[in-house]
Amino acid sequence: WMNVGGSISADLRAVDATSTSIVWAAGNGGKVYRSTNGGTSWSDVSTTAGSDILAIDVLSSTSAVIGGTLNRAEKTTASGATWTTFATITGFSSSETIVDYSFWTSSSGSATGSEGSIATTGDAAGTWTADTVTFATTPAITDSATPSVGVRYVVGEAGFVALYDNYGPTAPSDLTVDGDATDADYTQSTTPTL
């Protein structure tokens, strides 16, 4: 490992990159940094909102979406020179923290919230559609991963691991979905199997 963040003093919580050159990092107090040379130097492209950022997903070399506390969601298409706040993510409470984004194209992706909410977009975060899912018990969700379109894992406190599989298994009895025929199946595991 090599320290490449020498000029950054903020507490960072999220990172994403489009290449070995274009890297974005974000964290507490609305701080966002962008490097075009693999971290040799960083530009402060922070937002003015000031709340903590826990999620960033880079859509292109000049576009990114960020999310954080209090359902804060912003997007830039100008390398961070300007940020636009987009509407509250449908299905997320006003106090929910956005803990992860995962975009599989520059316009289609999903967001995961700390209270177990999941929403998808097909227009680069312009509008969001909630996937209503209710876990029997929902610990604080802390991160997620999307290995392929339609598949998402979420993890949280107390060993919580859940799988969202658009093509997969039937939901167990301790998990319910809103009944919409287009929804994915959900499975829940309270103890991760490694």
Side-chain angles (χ1 to χ4, degrees):
W1 291 96
M2 183 172 53
N3 183 357
V4 295
S7 63
I8 298 173
S9 60
D11 290 333
L12 300 176
R13 304 286 182 228
V15 64
D16 200 14
T18 58
S19 68
T20 56
S21 298
I22 308 295
V23 184
W24 298 65
N28 291 356
K31 292 296 188 183
V32 182
Y33 299 90
R34 181 173 181 270
S35 176
T36 58
N37 54 19
T40 301
S41 61
W42 294 87
S43 297
D44 185 340
V45 294
S46 298
T47 70
T48 58
S51 59
D52 294 345
I53 300 167
L54 282 81
I56 187 167
D57 205 60
V58 178
L59 308 178
S60 71
S61 62
T62 59
S63 299
V65 292
I66 58 171
T69 55
L70 303 176
N71 197 350
R72 174 175 172 219
E74 295 184 55
K75 178 180 176 181
T76 184
T77 56
S79 300
T82 57
W83 291 92
T84 303
T85 301
F86 51 86
T88 299
I89 296 178
T90 305
F92 284 40
S93 74
S94 61
S95 63
E96 191 159 9
T97 297
I98 300 165
V99 296
D100 192 40
Y101 287 113
S102 186
F103 279 77
W104 43 89
T105 70
S106 62
S107 61
S108 297
S110 63
T112 301
S114 59
E115 297 170 16
S117 301
I118 298 172
T120 56
T121 182
D123 60 1
T127 57
W128 293 88
T129 302
D131 285 327
T132 305
V133 59
T134 307
F135 295 102
T137 56
T138 305
I141 303 297
T142 56
D143 201 4
S144 69
T146 306
S148 64
V149 175
V151 177
R152 174 163 260 209
Y153 289 90
V154 294
V155 297
E157 296 173 352
F160 179 82
V161 179
L163 165 66
Y164 167 101
D165 187 345
N166 200 36
Y167 311 106
T170 303
S173 60
D174 67 344
L175 184 66
T176 59
V177 197
D178 69 4
D180 184 328
T182 62
D183 273 341
D185 296 319
Y186 293 83
T187 60
Q188 176 182 5
S189 169
T190 54
T191 305
T193 302
L194 303 177

